Amino acid sequence: MVRMYLNRFWGWVALAVILGSTTFAVSQGQTKKVFMITDMEGVDGIFNSELQCNPFQSPRFEESKKLLTGEINAAVDGLLEGGATEVVVWDGHDAGRTLSTLDIHPKARLLIGSPVSSTLELNSSYSAVGFIGQHAMAGAEKAVLSHSYSSDGVQNIWVNNKPVGEIGARVMLAGTFGIPVVMLSGDAAACREIHQLVPQAECAEVKWGVSRTAAFSLSHPAACSLIHEKARRAMERLAEFKPYTLTGPVEVKVQFTSKATPNLEPRDGIEQLDERTWVFRGKDIIDAWLRYSSF
């Protein structure tokens, strides 16, 4: 009987030591919190916006949600296995009304709804950013459902004369907070795009564009398996990544489509270059981007 109580006692002591060590690690800033940016056009099996991507309208939208959620959950599993201590998933497709807390990974937190700030609620507490289901920028070669924020409204975006889409702008945004981007899943064009900014990023190519609305695609189980592996490797290699940083003033130049040219008045930090092209200037990417996104 005495031995039994002693065993229990030392068991509780061991547990206290483990918990104490975990608390100490957290207090010493050793948490690895990851922000996951999600979209739908880059998901396996997605090739047609009207058929698959419009919430509550597309006939195959429920299937698309399942495909996206499966990829997200595979990534969360991989990130946690690789050492992440927390994963926040942002529902980034169509005003944050795609994902559900019924289906999302039980160890993830979900940021849903709109409006969400132009900074995506990011801050320096995050250790890494990753993309799931991401598409390439408008005009990219053989890119499935490529666009830059608005397929109807935006023709081109440049930051300090560098062409960017949603990938580039958000890599730069994360860098402002000192956060590196470590992974992406999407089509081959999206992977090429992130590798121009972050050459060492882990990238899961889940499909290969034949045209803007056709692709060769992995099966869903194969895509999830690949994403899981890439996410795990990204976290294991976290120390190798550095934030993408821009120094000095930033200029965001936007060429709108002919049917979406805004009715703007030039003012401090905002200049019209031609009928469809405007420049938004600021002290950094956030300042310049807010001038653009708030008009």
Side-chain angles (χ1 to χ4, degrees):
M1 181 68 71
V2 172
R3 180 177 296 176
M4 180 183 71
Y5 283 116
L6 283 173
N7 287 340
R8 276 188 194 172
F9 171 77
W10 288 115
W12 284 111
V13 169
L15 179 61
V17 170
I18 292 170
L19 292 176
S21 299
T22 302
T23 303
F24 177 77
V26 171
S27 69
Q28 294 300 305
Q30 295 178 21
T31 58
K32 295 179 181 178
K33 184 177 173 184
V34 182
F35 189 86
M36 185 186 297
I37 295 171
T38 73
D39 213 336
M40 182 170 280
E41 289 86 356
V43 170
D44 69 270
I46 302 291
F47 63 94
N48 184 296
S49 290
E50 185 178 358
L51 179 67
Q52 297 174 290
C53 298
N54 297 326
F56 319 115
Q57 298 176 18
S58 293
R60 291 177 62 177
F61 185 70
E62 288 303 313
E63 175 195 49
S64 300
K65 286 174 59 178
K66 291 178 181 178
L67 294 174
L68 171 59
T69 302
E71 289 195 0
I72 290 168
N73 289 345
V76 174
D77 269 333
L79 292 168
L80 293 173
E81 284 184 23
T85 57
E86 181 179 352
V87 181
V88 175
V89 176
W90 173 50
D91 183 353
H93 180 70
D94 203 282
R97 49 188 188 143
T98 299
L99 301 175
S100 171
T101 54
L102 286 171
D103 306 313
I104 207 71
H105 196 292
K107 293 184 179 179
R109 284 198 296 151
L110 181 60
L111 174 59
I112 55 177
S114 64
V116 171
S117 71
S118 296
T119 59
L120 307 184
E121 313 301 324
L122 283 171
N123 57 58
S124 58
S125 69
Y126 289 94
S127 299
V129 166
F131 293 88
I132 296 295
Q134 186 59 55
H135 56 80
M137 72 174 78
E141 183 179 1
K142 291 187 177 180
V144 183
L145 300 179
S146 57
H147 60 279
S148 298
Y149 293 94
S150 169
S151 55
D152 293 328
V154 175
Q155 190 82 36
N156 290 292
I157 301 176
W158 299 265
V159 174
N160 288 354
N161 292 317
K162 184 179 186 65
V164 300
E166 295 169 37
I167 296 171
R170 287 164 178 165
V171 167
M172 295 172 184
L173 171 66
T176 303
F177 293 100
I179 312 168
V181 172
V182 299
M183 72 160 294
L184 178 145
S185 72
D187 69 352
C191 287
R192 289 193 299 270
E193 194 169 314
I194 196 169
H195 281 153
Q196 291 176 355
L197 297 164
V198 189
Q200 70 272 41
E202 293 287 344
C203 206
E205 294 186 9
V206 301
K207 58 188 176 186
W208 298 263
V210 173
S211 67
R212 190 174 181 277
T213 53
F216 294 102
S217 179
L218 294 178
S219 70
H220 184 58
C224 289
S225 178
L226 178 62
I227 289 168
H228 176 277
E229 176 63 14
K230 295 293 186 177
R232 182 185 62 80
R233 281 179 50 81
M235 286 308 299
E236 289 176 347
R237 298 177 52 227
L238 181 60
E240 301 174 29
F241 293 91
K242 303 297 180 187
Y244 186 100
T245 56
L246 293 173
T247 57
V250 171
E251 177 181 277
V252 175
K253 182 166 62 176
V254 183
Q255 183 183 51
F256 297 93
T257 61
S258 56
K259 62 181 178 181
T261 302
N263 184 21
L264 280 172
E265 289 292 333
R267 58 183 186 272
D268 183 41
I270 301 178
E271 178 186 356
Q272 185 174 12
L273 296 185
D274 58 39
E275 184 180 2
R276 296 193 290 120
T277 309
W278 290 76
V279 174
F280 305 85
R281 299 185 177 92
K283 66 180 184 297
D284 54 30
I285 184 64
I286 294 176
D287 190 26
W289 198 265
L290 287 176
R291 292 179 191 272
Y292 159 51
S293 62
S294 63
F295 71 80

